[in-house]
Amino acid sequence: MNLVLASTSPRRKELLAQIGLGRPEFSFTQVAPDIDETPQLREMPIDYVQRLAAEKAHAGLALCADMSQPALLGSDTIVVFENQILGKPTDAADAKRMLSELSGQLHTVMTAIALVYRKDESSLTAKTLVRLVQTQVRFCTLSKAEIEAYVASAEPMDKAGSYGIQGMGGCFVAAIDGSYSGVVGLPLVETRELLAEVGII
């Protein structure tokens, strides 16, 4: 099977490349799936993140019609605080609001990965495997000046929950319980297990 990452995220690209352990035979391409990320009525965060990962992978599969035996890897990451999804901020004020809510508090980062593939080229239906990884993250207490400075850096503006643990936002993380790479956007252990399960690695 030909592995395709259904994401243009440079963070996910870097993480997926690590799984190959430097082996030249491990390779993948990328596509940019376009899906509606609006939560469904009364949809729980745990269901929402898994649905989006699967939809991204299926949308990616549709973009690979000319490829021989593509296997699409989709992923989605959300920040959940008090059972509410904190997505990417709409503007600077929204980013400041989220960071103020997370200040000094414990929140959950959920990352789902989905692998969509056909067992052989004659298969009419695609098989979907989904894994969910949850990590508890505790923020230290942030001052208003720290929040202002961080938002001014623009780093939070394309990040779920308005922070990136792998960047300057890592300064705010007092502790994590779970997968660091899952918080970044692609849980390495679980992704490697998923690829091994279908014989890609």
Side-chain angles (χ1 to χ4, degrees), residues 148-163:
E148 293 275 356
Y150 184 50
V151 173
S153 76
E155 183 180 273
M157 303 315 296
D158 66 339
K159 309 288 193 304
S162 300
Y163 77 95

Side-chain angles (χ1 to χ4, degrees), residues 134-197:
Q134 300 187 62
T135 302
Q136 305 301 312
V137 181
R138 182 175 294 281
F139 260 32
C140 59
T141 301
L142 308 180
S143 68
K144 183 177 179 180
E146 287 171 327
I147 292 174
E148 293 275 356
Y150 184 50
V151 173
S153 76
E155 183 180 273
M157 303 315 296
D158 66 339
K159 309 288 193 304
S162 300
Y163 77 95
I165 193 172
Q166 75 283 359
M168 291 180 284
C171 296
F172 305 147
V173 176
I176 71 167
D177 181 10
S179 170
Y180 171 83
S181 57
V183 178
V184 177
L186 192 72
L188 290 174
V189 171
E190 291 78 8
T191 302
R192 191 168 187 276
E193 290 174 348
L194 197 59
L195 297 180
E197 183 177 331

